[in-house]
Amino acid sequence: MAPPSRRECPFPSRRFPGLFLAALALLLSSRSDACGPPPTFVAMELTSRPKPYYKVGEQVEYDCKKGYHHFAPFLTHTVCDRNHTWLPISDAPCVKKVCHYIPNPAHGQAILANGTYSFGNQLHFICNDGYYLIGKAILYCELKGSDAVWSGRPPICQKILCKPPPTIKNGKHTFSEVDVFEYLDAVTYSCDPAPGPDPFSLVGESTIYCRDSLGWSGDPPECKVVKCRFPVIENGRQTAGFGKKFYYNAAVMFECYEGFHIIGSDTIVCNSNSTWDPPVPKCVKELPPSSTKPPTLSHSVSTSLATTSLTSSVSGPRPTYKPPVSRYPGYPNPDEGMLDGLDEWAIALIVIAILVGVAIISVGLHRYLQRRKKKGKPDDTAEYATYHSKSATLAEQKS
C-alpha cells in the first residue's frame, strides 16, 4: 500500500517565525520613531483625548482647568521632537482665579491665612479691644461655576456696650445713674447698714466690669449677715484670730497641748454659710506607732521582759525580739539611758587613759634624768672644788 499523502499547510512552519519577527520589527520601528503620551499638569489639561503614542512633529494643545485662567504670552501647546520627547512647557500660563479684595473692617483687621486671595484660601477677621465681631469670623474663597467668590459677606466690628449691672438686696453699686456702660467700665458694690447688732457682709466679688457683648465679668455679690459660733477646742488653745464675734472670712488658728496632736486643719475660716471651713479640729492623745510594728509596752512590763531576757540568756534560749519601749513625750526610755551611760563611761575611760599616759611619760622622763646624772664624769665635783680654791688663793695674794 502506498503511504498516505501529507496535506501541505498554507504557511509552512519554517516561514511563519520569520513573518512574525518581521511584523514585530515593523511595529517596534514605527513606535520607536514616535513620542509617548504627552505630559500632564496641575493647571492645564489636553483639549483632545490622549493617544498611546504620537508621530514626530505632531502637536497637542492644552487649555486651563476650571478655576484657572490663561496668562499670555506663555505657550499652551507642545510638539513631539525628533529625539522622541516632547518639547518642554509648564503650566505657568494658567494661574488661579482670585476673589475680590476685602479691606480691613472699621476697628478691626482682615488677615489672609495663606497670603493670597486665590480660591481655596481663607480670610480671618478680628476686632480691636473694646469691639466685638458681628458676622462670620472666617470667609472662604470658593469656586462657583467658573468664578472665584467669597463664602459670605464680610463682618463688622461693633463697640462693646453693657446694660446697667444688677441691683442687690441690702446693698448698692457705684454709677447707679448711668444707663449704658462701655468696655471695661467697672462698678463697685457695698452693703447698707444692718438694722440689727450684726453688720451685713459682702459675699462675692465687690467689683465687676463690662467685659464683652455678653455682659459683665461676673455675678453681683450679695449682702447678708454671716456670723460663726465661737470656736472651742479641747486639750488645745487658740493662737491667732482672737475676737468676741466672728464674721465672714474671719480666720482662727489653733495648737494642741503637749502630749496631744491635732486632727484636722490648724486654720479655719468663717464661710458664707456661717460655718467654719474646714470644721474645728480636735486634739487627741498621741497614738503609739502603727500596727506594723510590735505593740508598745509600758515601762514596767518592758523592764520585766528585759530582766527575763537577761535571765534566759543564762538558763535558756533568748527571745526572738526585744519588745519596744514607750514613745510618749517625757516618758523615760531605758535604751536611751543605757546609751547615755555608755557614752559617759567611754568619756571617763578616755580621760583615765590620758592621765595614765601622762603619768607613765613623767615617770620615764624622771628615771632617764637620774640615770644620766649617775653616768656623768666623776671628777666634775673635784675639779669644781680645786678651781674654787685656786680662785680664792689668787684673791688673797692680790689683796
Side-chain angles (χ1 to χ4, degrees):
M1 294 181 62
S5 60
R6 292 183 179 180
R7 190 176 180 180
E8 293 185 0
C9 180
F11 299 100
S13 59
R14 293 182 181 180
R15 295 180 181 180
F16 181 75
L19 294 175
F20 177 76
L21 292 176
L24 181 61
L26 180 62
L27 179 63
L28 291 177
S29 62
S30 63
R31 290 200 175 189
S32 62
D33 293 335
C35 295
T40 58
F41 300 97
V42 175
M44 296 192 308
E45 58 187 0
L46 289 172
T47 57
S48 59
R49 178 176 293 183
K51 298 186 299 184
Y53 64 93
Y54 292 80
K55 298 178 180 179
V56 174
E58 194 171 355
Q59 177 177 305
V60 293
E61 292 286 341
Y62 289 89
D63 196 5
C64 293
K65 292 182 180 179
K66 183 179 179 180
Y68 295 83
H69 63 89
H70 184 258
F71 184 73
F74 296 102
L75 299 177
T76 58
H77 65 271
T78 182
V79 179
C80 179
D81 198 7
R82 294 178 180 179
N83 57 1
H84 315 303
T85 59
W86 295 97
L87 293 178
I89 62 170
S90 68
D91 56 359
C94 296
V95 296
K96 276 187 174 183
K97 293 184 177 181
V98 297
C99 292
H100 66 274
Y101 171 75
I102 295 180
N104 293 331
H107 311 291
Q109 292 180 339
I111 303 173
L112 285 170
N114 303 99
T116 65
Y117 286 91
S118 57
F119 76 89
N121 292 337
Q122 304 173 9
L123 188 62
H124 295 236
F125 296 88
I126 57 174
C127 293
N128 300 336
D129 290 341
Y131 295 84
Y132 67 98
L133 197 69
I134 298 178
K136 295 182 178 179
I138 302 176
L139 294 182
Y140 303 89
C141 185
E142 301 172 338
L143 285 177
K144 286 189 177 181
S146 59
D147 297 327
V149 295
W150 292 109
S151 58
R153 297 180 60 182
I156 61 174
C157 291
Q158 186 72 35
K159 192 172 186 178
I160 294 176
L161 299 175
C162 293
K163 296 180 180 180
T167 59
I168 61 173
K169 186 179 179 181
N170 302 321
K172 57 184 178 295
H173 63 77
T174 55
F175 306 107
S176 57
E177 70 282 358
V178 178
D179 295 330
V180 178
F181 291 83
E182 297 185 358
Y183 177 65
L184 295 183
D185 283 347
V187 297
T188 301
Y189 287 86
S190 60
C191 294
D192 298 332
D198 298 318
F200 289 121
S201 295
L202 189 72
V203 179
E205 293 293 335
S206 61
T207 301
I208 59 176
Y209 63 92
C210 180
R211 180 177 58 188
D212 51 32
S213 59
L214 300 178
W216 295 86
S217 59
D219 295 329
E222 58 179 328
C223 291
K224 63 180 183 177
V225 175
V226 177
K227 185 179 179 180
C228 291
R229 299 178 59 183
F230 194 91
V232 177
I233 183 171
E234 296 182 359
N235 303 317
R237 61 188 174 187
Q238 184 178 340
T239 59
F242 298 97
K244 295 181 180 180
K245 297 181 180 180
F246 299 90
Y247 298 115
Y248 180 58
N249 279 338
V252 177
M253 296 185 67
F254 301 97
E255 68 177 6
C256 295
Y257 297 141
E258 186 176 356
F260 296 85
H261 72 278
I262 196 165
I263 294 180
S265 175
D266 62 350
T267 303
I268 59 177
V269 179
C270 182
N271 64 17
S272 60
N273 297 325
S274 297
T275 57
W276 292 105
D277 185 27
V280 179
K282 296 180 180 180
C283 290
V284 298
K285 274 280 189 181
E286 289 193 347
L287 300 176
S290 60
S291 59
T292 56
K293 298 182 180 180
T296 303
L297 302 178
S298 64
H299 178 62
S300 59
V301 177
S302 177
T303 306
S304 175
L305 288 175
T307 305
T308 304
S309 175
L310 293 174
T311 305
S312 63
S313 64
V314 178
S315 59
R318 297 181 179 180
T320 56
Y321 69 92
K322 183 178 179 181
V325 296
S326 176
R327 301 297 181 187
Y328 290 109
Y331 196 92
N333 191 333
D335 291 343
E336 294 178 356
M338 186 179 297
L339 291 176
D340 294 341
L342 290 176
D343 293 341
E344 294 176 358
W345 276 107
I347 294 173
L349 289 174
I350 292 172
V351 172
I352 293 172
I354 292 173
L355 294 176
V356 171
V358 172
I360 293 173
I361 293 173
S362 301
V363 172
L365 183 61
H366 178 69
R367 290 182 178 178
Y368 173 75
L369 294 175
Q370 291 293 334
R371 290 193 194 121
R372 187 170 182 180
K373 286 182 179 180
K374 291 180 180 181
K375 292 181 180 181
K377 294 182 180 180
D379 296 336
D380 289 346
T381 306
E383 289 179 0
Y384 176 78
T386 304
Y387 173 77
H388 184 67
S389 60
K390 286 182 179 181
S391 298
T393 305
L394 291 173
E396 290 176 356
Q397 289 177 0
K398 288 181 180 180
S399 59

